Structures are given as C-alpha cells and as structure tokens.
Amino acid sequence: MTLKSQIDAFEIEKKANLSSDILDLMDITTDKLIAAQLSQHALNVGDTLPAFILPNSDGTLVSSHALLEKGPLVLSFYRGGWCPYCNLELRALNNMQQAFADQHAQLVAVSPQLPDESLSTQQQNELAYTVLSDMANSLAKKCGLVFTLDERLIPIYDQLGLDIPKANGDDSYELPLPATYVIDSQGVIQFAFAHEDYTLRAEPLDVLNAVKAINRV
C-alpha cells in the first residue's frame, strides 16, 4: 500500500470524526500557507545541505559529516509525533528501512521536538532508524522550511490534545514544512520534496529510487 493511499484513508476517517467548522478552518489555514509559497524558498535539488550536529533520541550528538561518510543521506523533516500524517510517513519509511540499508543509505527523521519527545515518537512507531531533535528549528530554518502555526488553529489543537509547546519545549509554534531530501556524499541535494500542504508527502518508493540513482553514478 502506498503512503498516499494510507493518507487518503486517514482523510476519510478525519472527515468522519471532526466537525465541518474545524475541517473548514484547517482547509483555510492550509490554503493561506500554500498562497504564501514558502516552499519556493526552501532548499532544492543542486543546493548544498547545511552541516549540522543534532542530538538523537537518547541525547547523543549526530553530525551530518558522519552520516554522509557512510553513504547517501535521506533526511525527512516532520512536524512532530502529534501529527498523524507524520506518523504515517515515518512508519512508511520504516517499512522500507531494509531497502534503504541495502543501498547504504542513512535514513534520518528530524523534528523540532525535544529528545524525550523524539524518543517517544521513535518507540511508538517502532522506528529502526535515527530520529534527531532540531530544537528551535535551527536546521529547518537554514533549509528555508519554517513557518508559524496560524493562531486560529491553536485552540483547535488544544481541543484535540495536541500540545506543541510541550513537545518542542517552547511556545513559538514554529514548525517545519514536511520535507524530504536525498543528499549525496558531497552534501549536494539530489532529490527534494517540500510542500505547504501537510497532507502531501514524498512517496517512499520515489525516495528510494533517488537513492538508487545516486548509487548508479
């Protein structure tokens, strides 16, 4: 089953469980974000990924240099473990983890969550790959991915039990656009997906094919 088909199924479930007022507001704020065209300023194919050192879910620092020494890097930015679309994507990537490993690719997920929250996300989704905490969105900002959640959504998120300040350790409500990059050993981006619509995600098979293309060169 493709990631898109899983998201489509969740969309049907969401529409059955949420009021039309909430769904309309979610659509309005997403359309506003799309109109702002933030993704046009995000890193793209041919750009160089900024070097980084970030803590993983147990607090150990991980560097982009060390990751790229091992092979192609797949870097997936997600909003947080509170986001059902992100969890679908994280699990879809995990289901193909062995295929990425066979290509000597390093699969890494990044969010602004605190390390303890990242650990919870990793455990709850049974992820076999590295999860990093990009606190204050330091890397995501360098990649041109950061936006501030529309304030109209804050009471809705509170109502749904989505505590972003607790997850991120601050009350900025800054989040990354969902984005996936495939980076070669020189640090150059060879595949890029970033979109303002959080329901749209890179298909893992397309990401894997991008890794294979790097290895064929």
Side-chain angles (χ1 to χ4, degrees):
M1 181 182 290
T2 64
L3 176 55
K4 184 181 184 305
S5 64
Q6 294 177 58
I7 289 175
D8 288 345
F10 176 77
E11 281 285 287
I12 294 172
E13 180 183 339
K14 183 179 77 172
K15 290 175 181 177
N17 291 327
L18 295 180
S19 70
S20 59
D21 287 346
I22 291 177
L23 292 170
D24 287 346
L25 180 57
M26 288 179 170
D27 287 342
I28 289 169
T29 54
T30 298
D31 289 344
K32 178 184 175 184
L33 197 57
I34 292 171
Q37 297 185 317
L38 297 182
S39 63
Q40 299 301 311
H41 305 288
L43 293 185
N44 211 329
V45 173
D47 292 328
T48 298
L49 179 75
F52 64 80
I53 300 177
L54 298 173
N56 65 13
S57 56
D58 66 13
T60 302
L61 294 178
V62 176
S63 73
S64 54
H65 176 74
L67 291 168
L68 289 169
E69 279 189 328
K70 299 176 183 178
L73 172 61
V74 176
L75 199 60
S76 178
F77 287 88
Y78 69 103
R79 303 193 303 166
W82 49 267
C83 169
Y85 299 91
C86 296
N87 289 324
L88 287 172
E89 181 178 22
L90 292 171
R91 290 195 293 268
L93 288 169
N94 196 63
N95 289 339
M96 296 182 64
Q97 195 274 338
Q98 187 57 54
F100 284 109
D102 290 344
Q103 294 294 319
H104 308 289
Q106 311 306 303
L107 184 56
V108 176
V110 182
S111 84
Q113 295 185 130
L114 297 169
D116 282 351
E117 295 290 331
S118 294
L119 178 59
S120 295
T121 299
Q122 189 170 34
Q123 292 175 337
Q124 289 169 7
N125 290 291
E126 300 181 337
L127 305 180
Y129 54 84
T130 300
V131 179
L132 300 179
S133 289
D134 181 30
M135 291 172 286
N137 286 289
S138 59
L139 176 60
K141 287 177 180 176
K142 293 176 182 177
C143 294
L145 297 172
V146 177
F147 71 98
T148 301
L149 186 72
D150 192 301
E151 63 183 11
R152 291 172 292 178
L153 288 173
I154 293 176
I156 302 300
Y157 277 35
D158 289 343
Q159 179 183 332
L160 296 173
L162 309 179
D163 193 342
I164 295 175
K166 177 180 179 292
N168 295 356
D170 65 52
D171 59 0
S172 68
Y173 286 94
E174 289 185 336
L175 299 171
L177 298 178
T180 303
Y181 292 111
V182 177
I183 302 104
D184 66 21
S185 60
Q186 303 304 308
V188 179
I189 297 170
Q190 300 296 338
F191 172 94
F193 178 97
H195 205 287
E196 295 85 355
D197 185 345
Y198 58 87
T199 71
L200 301 179
R201 307 294 171 118
E203 196 63 48
L205 183 57
D206 294 337
V207 179
L208 178 62
N209 287 336
V211 170
K212 290 180 178 179
I214 290 174
N215 288 335
R216 285 197 295 267
V217 174

